[in-house]
Amino acid sequence: MITGKDIYNVVAGIVPLYVAMFLGYGSVRWWNILTPEQCSGVNRFVSMFAAPFLAFKFIMANNPYEMNLKFLAGDTLQKVLVLVALYIWNLTRFGNLDTSVIIYALFSLPNTLVMGIPLLEAMYGKFSTSLMTQIVVLQSVIWNTILLILLEYRAGKILIQEKFSDNAAAISTVAVDPEVESLGGEMLQADADMGHDGRLRVVVRRSPSISSNSSTYKSCNFPSSSASSRASSVREINSFHSARETPLRNPSFGGSSPHIINLQNSLSNGIMLDEDLRRPKRWWWGGSSKNISRVSSVYTSDIIAGSSNVVDVPHQSSSSKEEHDESSEIKENSRNIHNGSQKKMENIEENGENKKKQMPSTSVMTKLIIIMVYRKLAWNPNTWASFVGIAWSLIQYRFHLKMPSIIEGSITIVSNTGLGMAMFSLGLFMALQPNIIACGKKWAAISLSVRFLGAPAVIAATSAPIGIRGDLLRVEIIQASLPQGIMPFVFAKEYNLYPDIFSTAVIFGMVVALPVTIVYYVLLGLFN
C-alpha cells in the first residue's frame, strides 16, 4: 500500500531536478542572465561532456553478467511490436515513413538516463537503478541506432527521389566523401557520372562554397506547421543545424557563385541551350530561402526529368545596362519556346505524380545507410561512452579489477555535473521556445497520448505474458511512461523531421511528468 511518506520520498527525489530546470528557464526568460549564444555553449557542454560521462558512470557500474533478461525481454518486445506494426502499416496505401519514424521515437525513447534513474530509485529503491542502467545500454546501443537508420534511410530516399527521380534505378553506386557526417544535416553536393554500361555513379560531398549551417532537407507530407511553430524553429538555439528549404544547385555555370535550380521558374523564364549538355552535371541540395532572393541566374540539366534540355534564366544586373538589354532581348526571342516548355513541364509533373518513384537497388541503399549510420555513431560521444562503459564493465566484473582512483575521480567529477546540467539545459531549451505547445493542440495530444498512455499500455501487454510480475512489472510500466527523451528532438531537428512535435513532447512532457508518474505509482501500488 502506498503511503503519504512514500509519495513524499518520490517528490523529494525528483523535485531537485525540476529546480535545476527552473533555474535554467528563469536565467533566459525572466532574469536575462544568459544570451542565446551562451545557451548554445551550455548545451554543447552537456552533449559533449556531461551526458556522456554520466552515461559512462552508470554503465560501467552495472554488472553485465547479472542483467535481468526477463525485464529486458519485456522492454525489447514492446519496441519490436511497435516496429512490426509500423512496418505492416507502411505496406498499406495509408503508410507514411515520416509518421512511422515519429511514432517509433515517441514509443521507444523516453528520458531514461536523466529522469528515469532518480525517479525509479526514489520509488522502488536501489535495485531499480541497475534495471534503468540496463535500459540505458539497450537504448544507446540498439534503439537509438535504429532511429538513426530510419532517419538516414529517409534522408537518402529524399535525396534520390528529388535529384534522380526518373533514373534512380540506373544508380549503381553511391560514394560518400569521408568529410560528410550525415545526409540530413549538411550542405551537400552530388556529382553523377555515367559509365560505359549506362549506369550512374554518384559521389556525395560537402559543398565547397556554402556553409553547412544553413541546410537540411525538405520534409515529406505530414502535419502542417503553423506560423508560430516555424518562428519557433528559428529561435531554437542548440548545437545542431536548423531546417530550411532545399533547392537544387549547380556551381559550374556562370562563374563560381552557386545557382539555384528551379525547373518551374526556369522553364517560364529561360531558353534552351543544347550546347551546355556537354558540361559535367552537378546537383546540390540544402540551403536557405534567403539565398533564393540573391541568385541572379538559374541552370539545370533535364537529366532529372529525363529530357535533354538545359534551362537558363538570363542574368539581370543593375550595374550593367548592356547585360540587361541583352537579357531582355533573349527573353523576348524565347517567349514561344518557354510557353511550349511550360506546358511540357506541367505534363511531366502531372504524370510524375501518378507514377511510382524509382529507387536504386536494395544493395546500393543498404550500403549507403550502413556507411552513414556508422559515421554518425562514430562521431557521437554518447556512443563511445556506451561502448567503452560496456567494455570496461565486462573486464571489471570478469577479472574483478578496480579502476585507478585518479581515473575514477576524474570521471566522477565530470559525471556529477550530468544530471544538474542536463536539467538546466532543458530549462534553457524551454525558455527559448515561444510556445510550450509548438505543433498545435492536435499533435500535442497525439504525442502525449502515445508517450504517457500508449507506451505503458503496450509494454504492459508484452511484459505480463512472459511472467513479469510485482515491482519488476511496475518499474517496466513506469519507465515506459517517462517524458520524451531529448535525443529524438535533436535528431528530428537535424533531419528536419517536424521538430515542433518533439519540442512539444519534451517540454510539455516534462511539465506533466511528475504528476503522471505519481498517478501510475499510486495506481500500480493498489495491485499486489
Side-chain angles (χ1 to χ4, degrees), residues 416-480:
N416 285 344
T417 67
L419 281 177
M421 288 300 298
M423 293 301 295
F424 187 85
S425 179
L426 275 175
L428 299 178
F429 168 75
M430 294 172 63
L432 290 168
Q433 312 310 309
N435 298 305
I436 292 180
I437 302 178
C439 62
K441 295 180 180 179
K442 175 185 175 181
W443 282 101
I446 292 174
S447 63
L448 294 179
S449 297
V450 169
R451 179 68 262 149
F452 292 114
L453 297 176
V458 173
I459 206 167
T462 58
S463 299
I466 62 176
I468 299 178
R469 298 287 187 275
D471 284 347
L472 203 61
L473 179 60
R474 298 185 183 98
V475 171
E476 193 94 82
I477 293 173
I478 292 179
Q479 70 87 17

Side-chain angles (χ1 to χ4, degrees), residues 57 117 148 262 303:
K57 176 184 176 182
I117 291 178
L148 271 177
N262 186 316
I303 283 180

Side-chain angles (χ1 to χ4, degrees), residues 477-490:
I477 293 173
I478 292 179
Q479 70 87 17
S481 67
L482 293 170
Q484 184 64 42
I486 191 68
M487 188 59 69
F489 165 76
V490 172

